[in-house]
Amino acid sequence: MAATAPPPIADLTALASLGTMPALMRQLAGLGGCGRPIRLEGHRTEVHTGTGEILHHLDSTALAAGHLLVRCNNRRTTRCPACAETYRRDTYHLITAGLTGGKGTPATITAHPRVFATFTAPGFGAVHNRPSTGRCRCGAQHPDGAAELGSPINPDTYDYRSAVLWNAHAGKIWARFSIYLRREVAKRAGLSQREFREHARVSFAKVAEYQKRGAVHFHAVIRLDGPEGGSTPPPAWATPDLLADAIRAAAGAAEIPGPVLDGTAHTFAFGKQLDIRTIRTNDFAAGSALTERAVAAYIAKYATKGAESATGTLDRPVKLLAELAGLDISEHARRLIRTCWTLGARPELEDLRLRAWAHMLGFRGHFSTKTRRYSTTLGALRDARAAWRRAEALGTEPPALTGTAASDDEPTTLVLADWAFAGVGLAPTERWLVDALTPAPGTEGEPTHA
């Protein structure tokens, strides 16, 4: 977060004279550097259901900032670097737990067959690139980071319509693939679909990434478990080679019928480029081997990036098409957004909501998804972080993250709350204090797990 200019001395003096400066700094420190928190007004009361005792009461008027400040939790680096960094760390720990164990996942998971797979989009026309050997199709050798990379060599022949529609159907293609994958694994094991559920389970975690040309592709950790997930060993026939072979077959068969536009029927499937690599144990001396830690870091990196990071497009919705004229974006991104806007007006494509997702170039799926038994959840990691902060404030030992629910015989608490939206962001003095309280990047040292 860029440092802001210090507020006038008079503002700080006036704030200090109220005697609320320490309380305000504690409240702002709880934001973890978030620069655009949600401001809420209202109250919250916790009541013990057994005795009726009021355990805790919070009123926004009694807070130093005058409101309850809640982190925006935006995963985009371009919108809130601090919240995006927290999301990246949580994603890293979620992926790592499914590879090495921990946070409710047993360490025996390392013996399960695991692969890292990348699924790409098909081609919609030649684009400027940097091939590993030779030159770009345009005849040039583009330098790394060149502005033209990813843009069409001939924009007039580039299939913008199919590119946008492919993004809009990418989530459905993945859903179809995941169904076919279970069938293909069962087929190779000589089992029916019902028998397969009694012997094994496919678990995965994936993230979406935009290529420079603006097409979505997926990175996924895919694992073979026993019938109850990671807590049970896979059957003897489950091997990385069998899993990789089933992935290739399922990816090749997953095809989604699309709309018929102007007499042309569209179908959507993954591109021919499919990369599948076995994940090795977390051995730092493994040289070029794909390790667990490397996979987790790679996936977490893309969990905080949207279309704006790859294609130079927008990180927020487009309200009016006229906005594009005044925006500093690439011509390729501008044409993709215009295509979304044009197609979004067609009644037969209404369900795709292309205008609402024009800034995402048509893609409206979740950037990070996983199967239920892959590992812990982002919600559990957030709860663990909150418990760690509470324990730190009280000077007690934080509870361990087990991934299990609380016992039924534990006392329960009734929460009565009434909150109303009061705005977004920080006052100039508050922003300056947040900048002063936020550690420099790479020095935060705050754990993301208990």
Side-chain angles (χ1 to χ4, degrees):
M1 181 183 299
T4 56
I9 297 297
D11 291 352
L12 291 174
T13 302
L15 189 60
S17 67
L18 297 175
T20 59
M21 178 73 83
L24 178 60
M25 294 186 71
R26 286 194 298 271
Q27 188 177 358
L28 295 175
L31 294 174
C34 176
R36 287 180 53 83
I38 311 300
R39 306 184 78 99
L40 302 174
E41 57 185 13
H43 58 84
R44 182 179 190 272
T45 304
E46 297 180 9
V47 182
H48 192 288
T49 55
T51 64
E53 175 188 2
I54 295 178
L55 302 176
H56 185 260
H57 178 74
L58 173 68
D59 195 302
S60 61
T61 59
L63 296 173
H67 297 104
L68 177 66
L69 303 181
V70 181
R71 294 178 62 137
C72 70
N73 286 327
N74 197 305
R75 66 165 192 84
R76 280 186 166 85
T77 303
T78 55
R79 297 295 294 275
C80 183
C83 288
E85 174 61 13
T86 299
Y87 187 89
R88 184 194 66 78
R89 292 183 183 188
D90 283 353
T91 301
Y92 173 83
H93 286 291
L94 183 151
I95 298 297
T96 302
L99 291 172
T100 65
K103 301 173 181 60
T105 303
T108 53
I109 204 75
T110 57
H112 294 206
R114 306 161 301 167
V115 302
F116 178 59
T118 298
F119 303 80
T120 61
F124 307 109
V127 298
H128 295 282
N129 62 2
R130 299 181 71 243
S132 55
T133 59
R135 295 173 177 266
C136 174
R137 291 187 185 182
C138 71
Q141 285 187 324
H142 301 293
D144 189 19
E148 64 271 19
L149 290 176
S151 63
I153 294 176
N154 186 349
D156 293 334
T157 60
Y158 192 80
D159 193 352
Y160 280 96
R161 175 181 288 187
S162 292
V164 163
L165 290 175
W166 194 92
N167 281 346
H169 289 81
K172 292 183 178 180
I173 300 170
W174 176 267
R176 180 68 57 87
F177 160 77
S178 64
I179 294 172
Y180 285 179
L181 177 58
R182 293 172 177 85
R183 294 178 182 175
E184 294 294 338
V185 173
K187 182 190 302 183
R188 282 153 180 75
L191 301 171
S192 66
Q193 287 293 294
R194 178 170 297 183
E195 291 172 332
F196 175 73
R197 290 194 293 268
E198 298 172 356
H199 289 81
R201 177 185 294 265
V202 175
S203 299
F204 68 79
K206 74 169 177 67
V207 293
E209 181 203 356
Y210 282 88
Q211 297 172 307
K212 287 187 177 297
R213 59 185 173 131
V216 168
H217 65 179
F218 297 117
H219 302 290
V221 173
I222 305 177
R223 194 182 69 208
L224 277 178
D225 300 329
E228 299 302 320
S231 60
T232 52
W237 51 258
T239 65
D241 289 341
L242 181 145
L243 177 57
D245 188 53
I247 291 172
R248 292 187 189 93
E255 186 175 272
I256 295 293
V260 178
L261 298 178
D262 304 327
T264 300
H266 291 267
T267 58
F268 304 100
F270 288 124
K272 294 180 179 179
Q273 291 184 334
L274 174 64
D275 183 50
I276 305 173
R277 289 184 284 172
T278 299
I279 300 173
R280 308 300 178 186
T281 56
N282 196 9
D283 179 5
F284 289 100
S288 61
L290 189 64
T291 65
E292 296 151 342
R293 188 181 183 111
V295 169
Y298 190 80
I299 288 182
K301 176 178 68 172
Y302 289 110
T304 62
K305 298 181 182 295
E308 71 282 355
S309 299
T311 65
T313 182
L314 308 176
D315 61 1
R316 63 196 71 206
V318 178
K319 300 300 183 183
L320 297 170
L321 190 60
E323 296 176 28
L324 294 182
L327 296 176
D328 183 19
I329 60 176
S330 68
E331 183 58 30
H332 180 50
R334 200 184 309 273
R335 292 188 67 161
L336 286 167
I337 293 173
R338 286 185 180 276
T339 303
C340 285
W341 202 266
T342 301
L343 293 177
R346 302 188 66 144
E348 63 269 40
L349 301 179
E350 181 181 5
D351 62 317
L352 299 180
R353 303 184 63 226
L354 289 171
R355 288 192 171 184
W357 295 99
H359 65 299
M360 301 288 286
L361 312 182
F363 178 68
R364 67 189 190 282
H366 292 289
F367 264 79
S368 176
T369 60
K370 73 176 192 67
T371 53
R372 186 167 60 92
R373 300 196 186 186
Y374 172 81
S375 70
T376 186
T377 65
L378 291 174
L381 291 172
R382 286 192 292 268
D383 291 343
R385 185 166 51 254
W388 181 86
R389 284 175 173 158
R390 287 193 298 269
E392 183 186 42
L394 297 173
T396 59
E397 185 71 19
L401 174 58
T402 63
T404 58
S407 172
D408 291 338
D409 58 4
E410 291 182 4
T412 58
T413 302
L414 175 65
V415 178
L416 305 173
D418 182 21
W419 297 107
F421 177 76
V424 178
L426 299 166
T429 302
E430 294 171 340
R431 181 172 295 279
W432 183 81
L433 290 172
V434 165
D435 286 350
L437 290 167
T438 303
T443 64
E444 298 90 338
E446 180 194 30
T448 58
H449 61 293

